[in-house]
Amino acid sequence: MRKTILFAVMIVFVVANVEAQRTKAMKNILNLNVEFGGSFLQVQKDDISQKQVKKKGVIYFSAPNRLSIEFLEPKGDRFVLNQGKMYVQEGKRGYIYNFAKHESKRRIAYVVTQAFMGRIDEVEKMIGIKAKFTESKALYIFTFEFPVNKESQYKKIEFVYSKLDYHLSMLTLEERNGNNVIYSVPAIRLGKTKDVKYEIPIPTKR
């Protein structure tokens, strides 16, 4: 009986300690990265072909909802979030998605922009799942694992923040169909990004 009580007390202590560390981490990363730019590496893996496609570029963010991604490899591809719309440039063709008509795109855009600002609580409200928190000496890790019965194209979404400056250093989007996209932002340049083009271009194809 004593062993059972002692074990239960230890579990409560561990859970309480993890929750305290989680709260501390959320406080540290909250709203710090409201405007920045940095280089990134995108790695996309197709589960069927097992092929990995790597793309490099620069990423700029201006809170609360402006995001610009310019690919340098392949050069010319772009991704822009602004004014309630998503713009995707692939090769010579551009596509605009109006969030009023594309709810799934609005939701993932909201999740990503909130993650950049470190607003894990807002992401949890949107997704309806509490993030699992873990940490290492250098990183805070928040993982959202979607139950099989939950309606979502994603199986897992994970945000990794650097303890050095609290920026979002890695974003993983794992889809149920096996596609896996990882964005790695090893370092950021904090400060104004007034010269960044956040305007939604006129698309060549809708």
Side-chain angles (χ1 to χ4, degrees):
M1 184 65 177
R2 281 187 173 181
K3 289 184 178 180
T4 302
I5 294 174
L6 180 60
F7 182 69
V9 170
M10 289 177 63
I11 291 177
V12 171
F13 176 78
V14 169
V15 171
N17 185 57
V18 170
E19 192 63 26
Q21 292 300 107
R22 182 181 190 274
T23 301
K24 178 182 177 181
M26 291 175 67
K27 183 178 180 180
N28 285 341
I29 66 177
L30 182 61
N31 291 333
L32 287 182
N33 301 318
V34 294
E35 196 163 21
F36 67 84
S39 61
F40 77 92
L41 171 66
Q42 172 186 310
V43 179
Q44 185 166 2
K45 178 183 177 182
D46 185 280
D47 190 57
I48 298 177
S49 64
Q50 293 297 306
K51 291 183 178 179
Q52 278 194 347
V53 178
K54 295 183 179 181
K55 297 181 180 181
K56 295 181 179 180
V58 290
I59 184 170
Y60 299 96
F61 176 72
S62 179
N65 52 22
R66 296 196 302 173
L67 178 68
S68 175
I69 296 177
E70 299 178 12
F71 290 92
L72 303 178
E73 299 176 13
K75 189 173 180 60
D77 286 6
R78 290 189 65 203
F79 177 91
V80 180
L81 294 179
N82 195 12
Q83 301 173 337
K85 297 178 182 178
M86 176 188 294
Y87 175 77
V88 181
Q89 176 79 34
E90 296 177 333
K92 296 182 178 181
R93 294 190 173 186
Y95 305 83
I96 282 183
Y97 299 96
N98 192 316
F99 292 157
K101 299 179 180 179
H102 297 274
E103 174 63 15
S104 62
K105 303 231 181 263
R106 183 192 73 81
R107 290 173 65 88
I108 191 61
Y110 182 82
V111 165
V112 170
T113 53
Q114 295 301 303
F116 275 119
M117 292 187 288
R119 300 179 67 179
I120 300 298
D121 57 337
E122 290 297 320
V123 177
E124 290 177 332
K125 290 177 185 177
M126 171 62 77
I127 294 178
I129 298 174
K130 184 175 180 179
K132 176 184 176 183
F133 172 73
T134 54
E135 65 178 317
S136 66
K137 289 184 178 180
L139 303 169
Y140 293 132
I141 304 168
F142 293 89
T143 305
F144 295 86
E145 296 181 336
F146 294 80
V148 177
N149 61 350
K150 189 172 182 63
E151 187 176 342
S152 173
Q153 74 181 90
Y154 296 101
K155 180 179 179 181
K156 183 178 80 171
I157 296 177
E158 187 169 83
F159 307 131
V160 179
Y161 296 87
S162 166
K163 286 185 177 181
L164 181 63
D165 56 12
Y166 306 120
H167 82 278
L168 180 65
S169 61
M170 187 173 293
L171 165 63
T172 300
L173 302 173
E174 184 178 332
E175 299 182 3
R176 292 194 186 279
N177 60 12
N179 291 335
N180 192 0
V181 183
I182 300 175
Y183 295 91
S184 177
V185 187
I188 64 173
R189 300 186 300 274
L190 295 174
K192 300 294 182 181
T193 58
K194 62 181 181 180
D195 297 328
V196 179
K197 295 181 179 179
Y198 290 109
E199 293 81 10
I200 299 291
I202 298 175
T204 56
K205 183 178 179 181
R206 289 186 180 275

